[in-house]
Amino acid sequence: MQHFDPRLRLHFRLRPQHPWLLLRKMLLPVLLLFIISITTTFAQSDLNYLFLSGQVTNSENGAPLANKKVFIQSDIAIGGGMSYTEVMYTDDNGFFYDTISTTALKGSLHIYAFDIYDVKYEATEYFRFNWEDKYYCNMELAVFEHASSDFQANFYPSRDTTDMNQMSYYFNDESIGSGISYWHWDFGDGNTSSDRHPLHTYKQPGVFDVTLTVTSDLLSAEMVTSKIVKKLKVGMKDYYHFGGHAFAGYFPVDIGTAFLYQIIEDEYIPIDTTEFDEYGYYIFPQLIGGEYKVKTFPSPSSTHAGAYLPTYFGNELLWTKAQSIKLEETGWEYDIVMVENTEYSSGGGNIEGRVFVDGKTSTIENAEVILFNETDNCLTYIKSDKDGAFIFTGLAFGTYKVLADVPGKYTYPTIITLSANNPTIGGIDIIIYDEDIAHGIGDDMVTRLTGLGDPYPNPARSDINIEFELLQSGQVQVFVFNQSGQIVDKYSSHHHAGENKVKINTSKLSSGLYKMMILFGNEKHVKSFVKVN
């Protein structure tokens, strides 16, 4: 029996494709920890519980196979370090059950059995405890056996897609045999039906034993009856998987890592990280529906290290330009073509700085600092060391831009010009605030925009206003971002010192939550507002 492996769908490509929310200051250290020391498991002291139920059936006629030997084994590579092995036998209805307790946050189980010819049939079941500490896993494993009867009850359930009520299911009869004229359904909640393909709505969530009994009515033969029981999960969270290849030019990246962030309103929550397999493929299994972003890094030991840059899904370097994955179903083609380094001339120039947490009270290790040339082509990137320091060396004289990329934190570049008279520029401070990232050189980061109020009216309909005071005249820029970090409106104008007000037209914006970013020199301030129609 063959099983589809999404990683094998493509080994190379002919040409690259270009085409919660409160206590944010408490969330920031979590985000930084994720950046600094990401691992493939998030240890926790409380136990999580996996309630596993499965059914082994005959692939010939769908009949349940009793007393069938079943093997369960965890995948340590994917299982967050959980090691588990068990052997059990099915009951009269073909079911096997197991309850597993673990401190692992995620994992996978290989479940397999052998047919009469000792051919192995297997399935992989993923689980994840990011959102709840219990998971009910219900699976079916079809194994070849010689059918003992050509009269067999069978069915499969499917959710009623015409109704938003996730408690409603169609039960589709797939019984085999001649002269079937009677169907009796027991939905496991005290309700029954005699329809062939009934629709049933459950009143409460749970795991239900659904029984179908079919009976023949042949005049020339005795009445024949067959029954089958299947388990149905109702009203529980839906989970999906997704993955894709990471390409370096025409071929998959040999060694690398993918990072996963869930976007909840305006917060980026680190969820998981995974290594590429030998085909350059990454997989994030067992996720709830929602909006996500993925960023891929070539490993320092990769043959592509240095030549290709960390890249988001959508083939972009920065999270504000990256494409979101709006997960509503399982998908295996979220490929990422990594951005290639731009070649640049070497010289005697150096750029040095440090990355700080809000208030410059502590530094950040492993923050990604990106270097652009003056035409916004990315030249290279570096990660800050244990003291938060970074240094770009051997640069030709010219103008450069330096910024940091932290998902969910808006960036504003520091512009630097290196020359023979000024070959080394140091003291560049990159400060990651609760709301944004500010950049500046040494003590030049002085607040000259004060008295910034909250946007009003909020919620906004046709327009939104922001008031502030400038200690000196200068250019004020305002950007409006949606929840995905995309710019949906912008404003730029010279303002005099004193009290000022900016009005932004919001009539064409769709309903939702937005960020308003106000820039003045190296200062940046971010405010939120809601748009309603």
Side-chain angles (χ1 to χ4, degrees):
M1 183 176 181
Q2 294 182 340
H3 296 274
F4 171 70
D5 187 339
R7 301 169 295 179
L8 301 180
R9 64 179 178 82
L10 184 63
H11 289 191
F12 63 91
R13 190 173 270 188
L14 294 179
R15 63 185 181 91
Q17 300 297 307
H18 298 287
W20 196 277
L21 297 181
L22 196 60
L23 305 177
R24 292 178 179 171
K25 290 184 180 290
M26 295 178 66
L27 282 174
L28 180 60
V30 177
L31 176 60
L32 298 178
L33 178 61
F34 179 76
I35 298 168
I36 294 169
S37 181
I38 192 71
T39 63
T40 58
T41 181
F42 294 75
Q44 53 188 36
S45 58
D46 295 336
L47 286 175
N48 300 308
Y49 293 91
L50 172 65
F51 300 99
L52 173 65
S53 65
Q55 186 176 37
V56 183
T57 59
N58 191 337
S59 60
E60 288 290 281
N61 63 354
L65 296 178
N67 202 38
K68 191 69 179 177
K69 192 174 185 179
V70 179
F71 301 83
I72 304 173
Q73 186 173 353
S74 61
D75 184 341
I76 297 177
I78 299 178
M82 185 185 81
S83 179
Y84 186 82
T85 303
E86 185 62 88
V87 179
M88 54 186 58
Y89 290 84
T90 59
D91 63 14
D92 291 342
N93 290 313
F95 289 117
F96 60 92
Y97 306 90
D98 202 3
T99 299
I100 303 171
S101 61
T102 178
T103 57
L105 187 61
K106 65 174 182 177
S108 67
L109 297 173
H110 290 311
I111 302 168
Y112 57 95
F114 296 90
D115 69 5
I116 57 174
Y117 300 112
D118 209 31
V119 176
K120 185 179 182 179
Y121 291 73
E122 60 184 332
T124 299
E125 285 296 320
Y126 297 99
F127 58 88
R128 184 184 292 274
F129 299 106
N130 289 73
W131 299 281
E132 53 189 350
D133 61 1
K134 296 179 180 65
Y135 179 65
Y136 294 85
C137 175
N138 185 35
M139 54 83 63
E140 182 176 346
L141 185 63
V143 175
F144 174 77
E145 298 282 345
H146 291 303
S148 59
S149 173
D150 57 2
F151 190 90
Q152 176 61 50
N154 199 12
F155 70 93
Y156 75 92
S158 60
R159 185 173 293 173
D160 179 13
T161 58
T162 63
D163 190 341
M164 296 302 291
N165 185 358
Q166 63 173 344
M167 311 289 282
S168 295
Y169 281 82
Y170 281 106
F171 294 89
N172 308 278
D173 173 49
E174 287 192 322
S175 304
I176 60 172
S178 301
I180 297 176
S181 59
Y182 178 77
W183 296 263
H184 177 76
W185 297 86
D186 184 337
F187 300 116
D189 63 348
N191 292 287
T192 61
S193 174
S194 58
D195 295 341
R196 183 178 181 183
H197 305 292
L199 170 65
H200 179 64
T201 300
Y202 288 87
K203 302 300 183 183
Q204 59 186 5
V207 180
F208 298 90
D209 287 344
V210 181
T211 304
L212 169 62
T213 304
V214 295
T215 306
S216 69
D217 191 17
L218 294 175
L219 296 177
S220 59
E222 293 183 1
M223 183 177 294
V224 182
T225 297
S226 178
K227 180 179 76 171
I228 192 169
V229 182
K230 293 188 177 184
K231 292 189 177 294
L232 178 66
K233 292 199 308 181
V234 176
M236 298 183 179
K237 281 188 175 72
D238 288 324
Y239 290 89
Y240 311 104
H241 320 315
F242 78 85
H245 282 97
F247 287 98
Y250 297 96
F251 300 95
V253 177
D254 53 350
I255 310 173
T257 307
F259 296 86
L260 177 67
Y261 302 86
Q262 184 182 17
I263 307 171
I264 303 179
E265 293 193 9
D266 61 344
E267 292 293 339
Y268 278 62
I269 310 299
I271 297 296
D272 201 1
T273 182
T274 188
E275 302 299 316
F276 303 160
D277 68 7
E278 64 270 30
Y279 306 107
Y281 200 87
Y282 71 89
I283 292 178
F284 288 113
Q286 211 68 7
L287 302 168
I288 62 172
E291 188 174 1
Y292 298 87
K293 285 193 179 183
V294 175
K295 187 175 189 178
T296 53
F297 283 77
S299 171
S301 58
S302 168
T303 59
H304 305 292
Y308 290 87
L309 302 165
T311 307
Y312 288 91
F313 175 69
N315 312 328
E316 295 287 352
L317 289 172
L318 303 177
W319 72 271
T320 52
K321 296 182 179 181
Q323 184 177 342
S324 295
I325 297 173
K326 296 184 178 179
L327 194 61
E328 297 175 341
E329 61 183 0
T330 293
W332 300 114
E333 298 187 4
Y334 292 100
D335 294 343
I336 298 173
V337 180
M338 289 194 172
V339 175
E340 192 170 3
N341 246 341
T342 301
E343 292 186 4
Y344 61 95
S345 301
S346 61
N350 304 292
I351 299 174
E352 304 175 14
R354 299 176 76 187
V355 184
F356 293 89
V357 180
D358 190 355
K360 300 178 68 172
T361 56
S362 60
T363 57
I364 303 171
E365 183 181 2
N366 278 341
E368 183 185 337
V369 184
I370 307 175
L371 180 69
F372 293 86
N373 61 19
E374 58 183 330
T375 56
D376 291 328
N377 293 314
C378 182
L379 304 179
T380 188
Y381 80 99
I382 194 171
K383 291 191 175 183
S384 58
D385 65 17
K386 61 183 179 60
D387 298 318
F390 64 90
I391 179 171
F392 296 103
T393 61
L395 302 175
F397 298 149
T399 300
Y400 299 90
K401 299 178 182 180
V402 178
L403 59 80
D405 181 77
V406 178
K409 306 296 179 183
Y410 297 95
T411 62
Y412 186 61
T414 295
I415 301 174
I416 299 160
T417 299
L418 301 176
S419 66
N421 295 327
N422 199 9
T424 298
I425 295 181
I428 298 173
D429 294 337
I430 298 178
I431 305 175
I432 299 181
Y433 290 105
D434 177 43
E435 286 281 2
D436 56 8
I437 299 177
H439 299 253
I441 300 176
D443 295 329
D444 288 344
M445 296 186 66
V446 178
T447 299
R448 299 181 177 91
L449 188 153
T450 65
L452 183 65
D454 291 327
Y456 69 92
N458 189 9
R461 292 185 182 274
S462 59
D463 55 59
I464 191 81
N465 303 281
I466 191 78
E467 295 182 354
F468 51 89
E469 182 178 354
L470 296 181
L471 301 183
Q472 66 180 55
S473 62
Q475 197 77 7
V476 174
Q477 299 179 78
V478 180
F479 295 88
V480 178
F481 297 86
N482 62 19
Q483 293 184 46
S484 297
Q486 299 169 323
I487 298 174
V488 295
D489 201 356
K490 57 185 177 180
Y491 163 94
S492 181
S493 182
H494 185 87
H495 284 251
H496 294 290
E499 295 182 355
N500 291 269
K501 183 173 78 170
V502 171
K503 177 182 286 190
I504 302 291
N505 189 324
T506 59
S507 59
K508 294 183 179 181
L509 298 181
S510 57
S511 297
L513 182 66
Y514 292 87
K515 288 280 193 180
M516 175 184 287
M517 183 171 69
I518 303 95
L519 303 178
F520 185 69
N522 283 323
E523 294 183 57
K524 181 171 61 173
H525 307 266
V526 177
K527 297 288 186 176
S528 300
F529 70 92
V530 176
K531 169 65 169 59
V532 295
N533 291 323

